[in-house]
Amino acid sequence: MAASSLDTVFLQNDQLRVACRPGLGAKLVSMLDRRSGREWLLPSQLPGGTYLQPAYGADFSRFDTSGWDECFPAVAAGPHPDAPITWPDHGELWSRPWRVEATPDSLTACVQGQAWPYTLTRRASLDGETLCLDYTLQNNAHRPFLHVWSAHPLLRVTPGMRIQLPGEIRDAYVDWSSDPAHPAPGGWHAWPHWTPNVDLSTVQPTALGLAVKLYFRRLSEGRCGLVDPDSGQALILSWDLAAAPYLGLWLCYGGWPTDGRPGHLTVALEPCSGMPDRLTDAVQMGTSAVLPSGGTKSWSVRLRSQL
């Protein structure tokens, strides 16, 4: 189906209802647990909860900054390391319409690359209380494709929720901070305590005034989650480490936007194929993904809404 930014398609069963906007990068705008009424995805942060159609290369911060987007072929704006391409802020897919085929059992979204010849397909389906996302990427170019893919699910959180990460994690790479003096970007810091008397793995109130983008070292377990200690309800993410061996974490406790607008309250758990946000940095660090000419790879992400 050809879709405008106002179109919404749904996928639901007795446990979940998922809403997708094909015209806005196939953004998942809602993941509602129908049993408890809990909404897991952050709604639009624009006045009135509206959605606007961005142009290619737009500033991500000026739009809805909500829901689940696909960041690809890079996260931060910047040049491609071996082609005359500058990737837009949050990649080139969130601002473009995708083609979506809806059936009672699935939503299959597909998009062709604009600045590089690739095809990305994401099939969404439901299995009980689990949202299943299955991806396929094909490189249609006659040369290898350096890239970073990152899920970008901005979650609806409340202070006191707990972020559950693999037990092996002891430190985090700071890619960006709203307070660049504490902690300084570009280095590794102990997780989750570097701010005095603050445990960053517990969702903080917006009064903290901090936002940070973090990455963790190559993992041996593709699993993380968000838990509400009051209700016991949890959102559990699991994914294929072979294609996405890293995990990014966006913590926004009132510290972003930084231009005087009200600070957001959200957490994003971001399985990713490389780190950090800028593709040139990932290539320099030896952490970017590469797909051979004509190559295809597939991976999956699972989100379970656990009561």
Side-chain angles (χ1 to χ4, degrees):
M1 62 177 291
S4 76
S5 62
L6 300 179
D7 291 331
T8 306
V9 290
F10 295 92
L11 187 64
Q12 66 179 18
N13 60 13
D14 291 340
Q15 291 83 24
L16 300 175
R17 186 186 71 175
V18 175
C20 171
R21 289 193 176 234
L24 291 179
K27 177 195 293 286
L28 302 180
V29 295
S30 173
M31 179 180 171
L32 177 72
D33 190 313
R34 301 179 70 190
R35 303 163 298 178
S36 66
R38 181 182 291 277
E39 173 59 65
W40 284 112
L41 294 180
L42 188 72
S44 171
Q45 299 298 286
L46 291 174
T50 58
Y51 292 88
L52 302 175
Q53 180 68 60
Y56 183 90
D59 178 353
F60 183 83
S61 73
R62 291 295 169 182
F63 292 84
D64 55 89
T65 57
S66 68
W68 178 300
D69 290 299
E70 308 293 345
C71 290
F72 187 82
V75 181
H80 191 85
D82 62 0
I85 297 170
T86 298
W87 296 119
D89 182 28
H90 284 67
E92 69 169 15
L93 298 185
W94 68 273
S95 62
R96 299 178 54 221
W98 293 37
R99 188 168 190 84
V100 173
E101 293 184 5
T103 73
D105 300 320
S106 67
L107 299 174
T108 300
C110 184
V111 65
Q112 304 291 325
Q114 180 159 322
W116 186 282
Y118 64 84
T119 304
L120 181 64
T121 302
R122 185 193 69 202
R123 183 180 185 271
S125 60
L126 299 178
D127 181 9
E129 61 184 12
T130 300
L131 169 61
C132 306
L133 300 175
D134 295 297
Y135 297 83
T136 300
L137 172 65
Q138 182 172 350
N139 178 18
N140 303 318
H142 295 296
R143 54 178 166 162
F145 184 23
L146 292 164
H147 63 274
V148 168
W149 165 82
S150 175
H152 193 257
L154 294 170
L155 301 176
R156 189 171 179 261
V157 298
T158 54
M161 283 182 164
R162 295 287 299 170
I163 300 167
Q164 291 188 340
L165 301 179
E168 67 195 271
I169 289 175
R170 296 291 182 269
D171 57 4
Y173 179 86
V174 179
D175 192 51
W176 182 88
S177 174
S178 61
D179 179 4
H182 189 73
W188 294 89
H189 300 263
W191 169 263
H193 301 282
W194 65 66
T195 299
N197 303 315
V198 175
D199 178 354
L200 291 175
S201 67
T202 297
V203 176
Q204 301 295 313
T206 56
L208 183 64
L210 179 68
V212 289
K213 176 62 183 290
L214 309 175
Y215 283 94
F216 302 104
R217 300 180 192 273
R218 183 180 289 264
L219 300 173
S220 61
E221 178 186 9
R223 181 181 171 90
C224 63
L226 183 67
V227 180
D228 183 344
D230 294 328
S231 67
Q233 192 166 4
L235 182 68
I236 308 299
L237 278 75
S238 57
W239 67 95
D240 293 338
L241 282 179
Y246 300 99
L247 176 65
L249 180 64
W250 169 243
L251 305 177
C252 190
Y253 303 146
W256 188 90
T258 58
D259 57 5
R261 288 177 288 169
H264 297 173
L265 177 62
T266 187
V267 167
L269 301 166
E270 304 186 343
C272 49
S273 64
M275 60 163 283
D277 283 1
R278 286 174 59 88
L279 181 57
T280 50
D281 291 342
V283 171
Q284 187 174 40
M285 293 172 67
T287 57
S288 65
V290 60
L291 189 60
S293 172
T296 299
K297 68 176 179 179
S298 299
W299 69 97
S300 64
V301 180
R302 300 290 184 261
L303 295 86
R304 181 161 60 97
S305 183
Q306 177 181 287
L307 292 181

